[in-house]
Short mmCIF file of all heavy atoms in Angstrom, two decimals:
data_model
loop_
_atom_site.label_atom_id
_atom_site.label_comp_id
_atom_site.label_asym_id
_atom_site.label_seq_id
_atom_site.Cartn_x
_atom_site.Cartn_y
_atom_site.Cartn_z
N THR K 980 8.75 58.42 14.62
CA THR K 980 7.78 57.47 14.08
C THR K 980 6.86 56.84 15.12
O THR K 980 6.12 55.94 14.81
CB THR K 980 8.52 56.31 13.37
OG1 THR K 980 9.37 55.70 14.35
CG2 THR K 980 9.31 56.80 12.21
N ALA K 981 6.93 57.32 16.35
CA ALA K 981 6.11 56.67 17.37
C ALA K 981 4.65 56.72 16.96
O ALA K 981 4.16 57.72 16.47
CB ALA K 981 6.30 57.37 18.70
N ARG K 982 3.97 55.61 17.14
CA ARG K 982 2.56 55.54 16.73
C ARG K 982 1.79 54.67 17.71
O ARG K 982 2.33 53.74 18.28
CB ARG K 982 2.46 54.95 15.33
CG ARG K 982 3.09 53.56 15.27
CD ARG K 982 3.03 52.99 13.87
NE ARG K 982 4.01 51.91 13.75
CZ ARG K 982 3.72 50.63 13.95
NH1 ARG K 982 2.52 50.26 14.26
NH2 ARG K 982 4.64 49.72 13.83
N ASN K 983 0.55 55.01 17.86
CA ASN K 983 -0.36 54.16 18.62
C ASN K 983 0.15 53.74 19.99
O ASN K 983 0.00 52.60 20.38
CB ASN K 983 -0.71 52.92 17.81
CG ASN K 983 -1.57 53.27 16.62
OD1 ASN K 983 -2.26 54.28 16.65
ND2 ASN K 983 -1.51 52.46 15.60
N SER K 984 0.76 54.60 20.70
CA SER K 984 1.05 54.29 22.10
C SER K 984 -0.24 54.41 22.88
O SER K 984 -1.14 55.18 22.53
CB SER K 984 2.10 55.27 22.65
OG SER K 984 3.31 55.05 21.97
N ARG K 985 -0.32 53.62 23.95
CA ARG K 985 -1.63 53.57 24.63
C ARG K 985 -1.43 53.28 26.11
O ARG K 985 -0.56 52.49 26.49
CB ARG K 985 -2.44 52.44 23.99
CG ARG K 985 -3.83 52.24 24.55
CD ARG K 985 -4.62 51.32 23.62
NE ARG K 985 -5.92 50.98 24.19
CZ ARG K 985 -6.18 49.81 24.77
NH1 ARG K 985 -5.25 48.88 24.82
NH2 ARG K 985 -7.38 49.57 25.27
N VAL K 986 -2.22 53.96 26.93
CA VAL K 986 -2.29 53.59 28.35
C VAL K 986 -3.70 53.09 28.60
O VAL K 986 -4.64 53.55 27.96
CB VAL K 986 -2.00 54.76 29.31
CG1 VAL K 986 -0.54 55.10 29.31
CG2 VAL K 986 -2.87 55.96 29.01
N TYR K 987 -3.83 52.14 29.51
CA TYR K 987 -5.17 51.63 29.76
C TYR K 987 -5.31 51.10 31.18
O TYR K 987 -4.33 50.80 31.87
CB TYR K 987 -5.55 50.55 28.75
CG TYR K 987 -4.59 49.40 28.68
CD1 TYR K 987 -4.77 48.28 29.50
CD2 TYR K 987 -3.51 49.43 27.81
CE1 TYR K 987 -3.89 47.22 29.44
CE2 TYR K 987 -2.62 48.37 27.76
CZ TYR K 987 -2.81 47.28 28.57
OH TYR K 987 -1.94 46.25 28.52
N LEU K 988 -6.56 50.97 31.57
CA LEU K 988 -6.90 50.44 32.87
C LEU K 988 -7.96 49.37 32.60
O LEU K 988 -8.91 49.61 31.85
CB LEU K 988 -7.47 51.54 33.76
CG LEU K 988 -7.59 51.25 35.24
CD1 LEU K 988 -6.21 51.00 35.84
CD2 LEU K 988 -8.26 52.42 35.93
N SER K 989 -7.76 48.19 33.19
CA SER K 989 -8.64 47.09 32.86
C SER K 989 -9.07 46.39 34.13
O SER K 989 -8.30 46.27 35.08
CB SER K 989 -7.85 46.12 31.96
OG SER K 989 -8.71 45.17 31.40
N GLY K 990 -10.31 45.94 34.17
CA GLY K 990 -10.79 45.20 35.33
C GLY K 990 -11.37 43.86 34.91
O GLY K 990 -12.17 43.80 33.98
N ASP K 991 -10.93 42.79 35.56
CA ASP K 991 -11.44 41.46 35.25
C ASP K 991 -12.32 40.97 36.39
O ASP K 991 -12.00 41.17 37.56
CB ASP K 991 -10.28 40.46 35.07
CG ASP K 991 -9.59 40.65 33.75
OD1 ASP K 991 -10.25 40.45 32.72
OD2 ASP K 991 -8.39 41.01 33.75
N ASN K 992 -13.40 40.29 36.02
CA ASN K 992 -14.29 39.67 37.00
C ASN K 992 -14.78 40.70 38.02
O ASN K 992 -14.78 40.46 39.22
CB ASN K 992 -13.57 38.51 37.71
CG ASN K 992 -14.51 37.64 38.51
OD1 ASN K 992 -15.73 37.66 38.30
ND2 ASN K 992 -13.94 36.88 39.43
N LEU K 993 -15.21 41.85 37.51
CA LEU K 993 -15.58 42.93 38.42
C LEU K 993 -16.90 42.66 39.12
O LEU K 993 -17.05 42.94 40.30
CB LEU K 993 -15.68 44.25 37.64
CG LEU K 993 -14.34 44.81 37.16
CD1 LEU K 993 -14.57 46.08 36.37
CD2 LEU K 993 -13.42 45.08 38.34
N LEU K 994 -17.84 42.12 38.39
CA LEU K 994 -19.16 41.90 38.98
C LEU K 994 -19.63 40.50 38.62
O LEU K 994 -19.40 40.01 37.52
CB LEU K 994 -20.17 42.91 38.42
CG LEU K 994 -19.99 44.37 38.82
CD1 LEU K 994 -20.91 45.24 37.96
CD2 LEU K 994 -20.29 44.56 40.29
N LEU K 995 -20.32 39.87 39.57
CA LEU K 995 -20.89 38.56 39.31
C LEU K 995 -22.29 38.55 39.90
O LEU K 995 -22.47 38.78 41.09
CB LEU K 995 -20.02 37.47 39.95
CG LEU K 995 -20.55 36.04 39.82
CD1 LEU K 995 -20.47 35.58 38.36
CD2 LEU K 995 -19.73 35.09 40.70
N PHE K 996 -23.26 38.30 39.06
CA PHE K 996 -24.64 38.20 39.53
C PHE K 996 -25.04 36.74 39.51
O PHE K 996 -25.09 36.12 38.44
CB PHE K 996 -25.58 39.01 38.63
CG PHE K 996 -25.19 40.46 38.54
CD1 PHE K 996 -24.42 40.92 37.49
CD2 PHE K 996 -25.59 41.36 39.53
CE1 PHE K 996 -24.06 42.26 37.40
CE2 PHE K 996 -25.22 42.68 39.45
CZ PHE K 996 -24.45 43.14 38.40
#
Side-chain angles (χ1 to χ4, degrees):
Chain K
T980 59
R982 58 182 161 94
N983 290 335
S984 294
R985 181 167 174 258
V986 287
Y987 56 90
L988 194 63
S989 191
D991 285 297
N992 192 18
L993 290 178
L994 291 169
L995 177 68
F996 303 96

